Amino acid sequence: MIDFHYWQLLLFPLFFVFGWAAARIDIQHLVRESRALPRSYFQGLNFLLNEQPDKAIESFMNVVKVDPETVELHFALGSLFRRKGEMERAIRMHQNLIDREGLPNDLKLQAMAELGQDYLKAGLLDRAEEIFLRLRTSSRDEEAKRNLLEIYQLEKDWEKAIAIGEEMPEYATQKEIAHYYCELAGTEMINSRPDNARRYLDQALALHRSCVRASVIQGDLLAQEGQDEGAIEAWQHIEHQNPAYLALVAQKLQEAYLRLGRRDEGLQLLRGYLAAYPSLDLLDTVFRLVLEGEGPEAAYRLVRDELRRNPTLLGLDKLLEAQVLVVAPERRADLELVRNLVHNHTRRLARYRCDNCGFKARQFYWRCPACGGWETYPPRRSEEFDLLP
């Protein structure tokens, strides 16, 4: 049993006294510090809280004039200038910090990182790259690598992007790096170097077996070389990778079958894809092929059956287009009027939409031009998002 002495009770009031005194000292210290700060400092904070950056900048500039040693305010002002797009002032603010004598190393590295961001946003990619290369192997190495990866993508320097992406697998996924290889393959195709293109595509598929883009380019490469059988095989492989992307190669498939003299076989294949993987783009391709090969009656039946299965305004647009061709001449003018009204409305729906940022475009992109995400555009029109999983 622990011995207890009554005199120990006297310690409790002492503890309370010491705690009260320590708190009192801290409060007095805070009050002295707050009185030492200029009124403009608090005005600037108030403007920031009320989302008035212009007035906040003006107030903080007044503080800096009174006390030039306020490093934190220099950082805050530099960030505010960058957010407002005043890049020259942001660059000047951060460069002044870097040039300041006696600045601790961690703050100097922070100022360099901020300056790199300034150059990057200003589009001065060479200067930004120089800054972030200097930050490699420092305490800001990870941040430097992320920014260098963005710079190399903007510069389309895919070899460097691959090299630095492989250093940070938690940030640059295998799917993204496979797209870098596809970019290189596309460049080699343009420059008539098919063997190099083929090597890059093999690397892309070795890294990411489900890289649809690599299969698309493989088919394009084989078709250019007159190997339509191989092109068809490459494009058909997309069904095992992600069948939603078959619509992107539907027209190419049919053209390859036409060159081989096997039109009906190609159309049968595409009809099967449409039945298994409904898509407005695929419907449009099959509709055109049936219209050209079998006539408006067959095209009308195709779209009517598909519209019953998947009712969409874009499908209705195709149905009216086919019906205009088969309707009696005296009713054609009225039907064309209705079709034009529907068509003008559906043009707003016939767009691809980025899953990441919601940016819409009439053209399909492997990389979103707005947010820079890779493969964030599903190959479906915006109207289909509400109808298909």
Side-chain angles (χ1 to χ4, degrees):
M1 184 174 177
I2 299 174
D3 293 333
F4 177 78
H5 300 284
Y6 286 104
W7 63 268
Q8 293 175 339
L9 293 173
L10 298 174
L11 295 176
F12 291 105
L14 288 174
F15 290 146
F16 284 113
V17 169
F18 289 145
W20 175 83
R24 184 84 175 156
I25 292 170
D26 286 342
I27 290 171
Q28 289 177 351
H29 177 69
L30 288 173
V31 168
R32 282 196 302 271
E33 279 194 345
S34 65
R35 286 175 179 171
L37 290 171
R39 179 187 178 93
S40 301
Y41 177 81
F42 297 101
Q43 287 178 335
L45 289 178
N46 186 53
F47 287 134
L48 274 183
L49 291 172
N50 288 291
E51 298 183 357
Q52 295 177 279
D54 292 334
K55 293 182 178 179
I57 287 173
E58 185 179 343
S59 296
F60 286 144
M61 288 297 287
N62 290 332
V63 180
V64 170
K65 289 176 184 177
V66 173
D67 185 5
E69 299 301 315
T70 50
V71 174
E72 293 81 4
L73 273 181
H74 280 74
F75 280 120
L77 279 169
S79 297
L80 281 171
F81 287 141
R82 187 168 66 235
R83 283 172 53 191
K84 282 177 56 58
E86 297 184 33
M87 307 314 303
E88 288 187 12
R89 300 180 77 182
I91 290 169
R92 188 164 60 249
M93 190 67 65
H94 292 129
Q95 188 64 61
N96 288 340
L97 281 172
I98 294 172
D99 296 338
R100 178 178 293 185
E101 294 183 3
L103 191 70
N105 188 58
D106 58 333
L107 293 178
K108 191 176 288 288
L109 291 174
Q110 182 182 347
M112 287 178 63
E114 293 292 337
L115 182 61
Q117 291 287 347
D118 297 337
Y119 285 140
L120 183 55
K121 187 169 182 182
L124 302 172
L125 301 184
D126 290 343
R127 294 187 181 183
E129 181 182 0
E130 181 185 350
I131 291 290
F132 290 120
L133 284 174
R134 288 168 59 189
L135 288 172
R136 292 295 312 268
T137 71
S138 73
S139 59
R140 292 186 170 266
D141 181 63
E142 198 70 19
E143 179 184 358
K145 286 190 291 188
R146 287 199 303 269
N147 285 288
L148 284 170
L149 182 61
E150 182 179 353
I151 290 169
Y152 295 145
Q153 290 182 83
L154 290 170
E155 292 179 334
K156 301 188 184 301
D157 193 337
W158 304 112
E159 293 280 8
K160 288 183 179 179
I162 290 169
I164 203 162
E166 289 174 345
E167 291 186 38
M168 43 196 312
E170 73 287 351
Y171 189 76
T173 64
Q174 291 183 331
K175 180 175 73 174
E176 291 178 2
I177 297 176
H179 277 288
Y180 304 161
Y181 281 116
C182 288
E183 291 283 348
L184 287 168
T187 301
E188 295 302 304
M189 284 182 64
I190 292 172
N191 293 315
S192 301
R193 293 192 287 262
D195 291 338
N196 290 344
R198 195 170 285 108
R199 176 168 56 85
Y200 285 130
L201 293 173
D202 289 341
Q203 289 176 290
L205 288 167
L207 191 64
H208 183 55
R209 294 179 61 187
S210 298
C211 183
V212 173
R213 188 182 184 186
S215 295
V216 173
I217 300 175
Q218 271 187 341
D220 294 343
L221 183 59
L222 290 165
Q224 278 187 6
E225 297 173 336
Q227 301 182 51
D228 287 314
E229 289 281 7
I232 290 170
E233 184 179 348
W235 290 326
Q236 284 182 310
H237 183 60
I238 294 171
E239 182 179 9
H240 306 291
Q241 295 173 313
N242 190 335
Y245 287 87
L246 285 168
L248 298 180
V249 296
Q251 186 64 38
K252 297 177 181 181
L253 276 166
Q254 186 61 17
E255 289 171 358
Y257 275 110
L258 283 172
R259 288 192 294 269
L260 293 170
R262 292 151 51 186
R263 178 191 178 282
D264 292 341
E265 184 181 344
L267 183 55
Q268 183 180 0
L269 174 70
L270 295 179
R271 279 180 177 270
Y273 285 157
L274 180 61
Y277 317 111
S279 158
L280 290 173
D281 283 345
L282 198 53
L283 172 62
D284 183 60
T285 301
V286 176
F287 169 75
R288 299 294 171 196
L289 294 171
V290 172
L291 184 63
E292 293 171 7
E294 301 177 21
E297 286 283 357
Y300 172 76
R301 290 194 299 272
L302 167 76
V303 180
R304 181 195 59 196
D305 294 342
E306 187 62 27
L307 193 60
R308 287 172 177 169
R309 188 163 68 115
N310 296 300
T312 62
L313 283 175
L314 289 166
L316 176 62
D317 183 34
K318 290 287 176 289
L319 181 70
L320 292 171
E321 182 180 347
Q323 200 168 16
V324 166
L325 299 174
V326 298
V327 76
E330 60 271 16
R331 293 185 53 200
R332 188 166 297 163
D334 292 339
L335 196 57
E336 283 182 342
L337 177 62
V338 174
R339 194 256 166 173
N340 288 335
L341 289 171
V342 173
H343 181 71
N344 289 334
H345 179 69
T346 55
R347 287 179 63 188
R348 296 195 297 272
L349 303 174
R351 297 185 180 184
Y352 299 104
R353 184 174 70 196
C354 175
D355 273 346
N356 191 39
C357 69
F359 182 78
K360 294 181 181 180
R362 297 189 184 280
Q363 178 185 345
F364 177 82
Y365 290 98
W366 289 106
R367 188 186 187 203
C368 177
C371 68
W374 288 99
E375 219 169 296
T376 55
Y377 268 84
R380 290 175 176 169
R381 303 294 177 169
S382 56
E383 185 185 8
E384 296 178 86
F385 282 95
D386 298 329
L387 300 171
L388 299 174

